[in-house]
Amino acid sequence: MLKDIKEILITQEQLAARVDEMGKAITRDYLGKNLLMVSVLKGSVVFMADLMRAIEIPAGIDFMAVSSYGGGAKTSGVVKIVKDLDVKLEDCDLLLVEDILDSGMTLEYLKRVLSSRAPRSIRVAALLDKPERRQVDIRPDYVGFAIPDEFVVGYGLDYNEKYRNLPFVGALKPEVYAGI
Ligand code: IMP
Ligand code: MG
């Protein structure tokens, strides 16, 4: 796996420190609320697992899966719910946990669908943000790192289901995904 990585953008130590800070901010903001963290599978599982342990108030968790990329490195613009939530959202303060905000289309769609189920509030925590790539007007409430427009893998993020278990965030060598 390592031979496919051009450069490490965010180290394990930087990830741990930043996720800890995000957890502290969320802890403060959600005191007295009914926090439900919803992880968007699969890319956000590593972030979710670390973030939930950095939060010091009770937090429910649930998972959703959507497809928007069809496996490649470019967006298809099509978002489909592949796995829906198990819990009802009324009375919940929903925090959507995403690995990366790219075009923003996935989150825009999810926010719209989930708002219609009447949670008390909806916010978004994204580990990574590529603001240059945004196609819709959506901003995460909590961001780990803003990164340049480069395809990244690791810490949950994949390319064709590979590299999710790298402990850092790295940029792939272009020749790895050439031809897409
Ligand atoms: P959006 O709808 O364009 O914002 O796409 C968000 C989804 O695209 C993320 O949840 C990722 O699964 C995927 N994605 C976007 N950029 C990257 C990247 O650089 N590496 C890996 N996955 C990415
Ligand atoms: Mg994803």
Side-chain angles (χ1 to χ4, degrees):
M1 280 196 297
L2 282 176
K3 70 174 179 10
D4 297 341
I5 303 300
K6 186 176 72 178
E7 120 191 67
I8 295 179
L9 294 182
I10 312 170
T11 65
Q12 222 170 326
E13 293 72 27
Q14 288 170 319
L15 285 163
R18 184 70 189 116
V19 171
D20 210 55
E21 284 173 6
M22 294 174 84
K24 289 202 166 72
I26 292 166
T27 299
R28 278 194 303 274
D29 294 351
Y30 283 83
L31 264 181
K33 297 195 170 165
N34 188 22
L35 173 60
L36 175 69
M37 302 172 72
V38 167
S39 156
V40 185
L41 293 172
K42 306 173 195 167
S44 70
V45 286
V46 179
F47 176 43
M48 175 80 157
D50 285 344
L51 183 63
M52 63 190 271
R53 286 177 292 174
I55 291 174
E56 293 166 19
I57 51 169
I61 63 166
D62 203 350
F63 297 88
M64 255 184 123
V66 297
S67 70
S68 64
Y69 266 65
K74 285 196 185 138
T75 182
S76 61
V78 179
V79 182
K80 192 175 84 192
I81 294 182
V82 178
K83 185 223 169 290
D84 208 334
L85 297 176
D86 297 328
V87 299
K88 293 225 167 10
L89 295 184
E90 294 124 47
D91 307 324
C92 286
D93 291 289
L94 178 61
L95 182 64
L96 274 170
V97 178
E98 256 286 28
D99 51 357
I100 186 165
L101 210 62
D102 189 38
S103 72
M105 294 203 292
T106 310
L107 261 186
E108 147 121 303
Y109 172 82
L110 276 180
K111 265 185 115 170
R112 202 168 54 232
V113 169
L114 297 177
S115 302
S116 73
R117 300 183 193 174
R120 278 190 208 152
S121 64
I122 301 194
R123 283 187 181 177
V124 173
L127 177 71
L128 304 174
D129 187 11
K130 284 186 196 168
E132 290 166 51
R133 300 254 311 163
R134 203 61 38 78
Q135 285 176 29
V136 292
D137 183 23
I138 186 165
R139 248 156 290 178
D141 302 277
Y142 305 92
V143 188
F145 302 86
I147 60 166
D149 178 11
E150 201 160 9
F151 199 79
V152 294
V153 295
Y155 198 72
L157 289 112
D158 73 309
Y159 173 65
N160 279 343
E161 296 298 326
K162 216 175 148 187
Y163 312 107
R164 292 194 196 276
N165 56 321
L166 288 172
F168 52 78
V169 172
L172 266 189
K173 288 183 183 159
E175 60 263 33
V176 178
Y177 58 91
I180 305 281

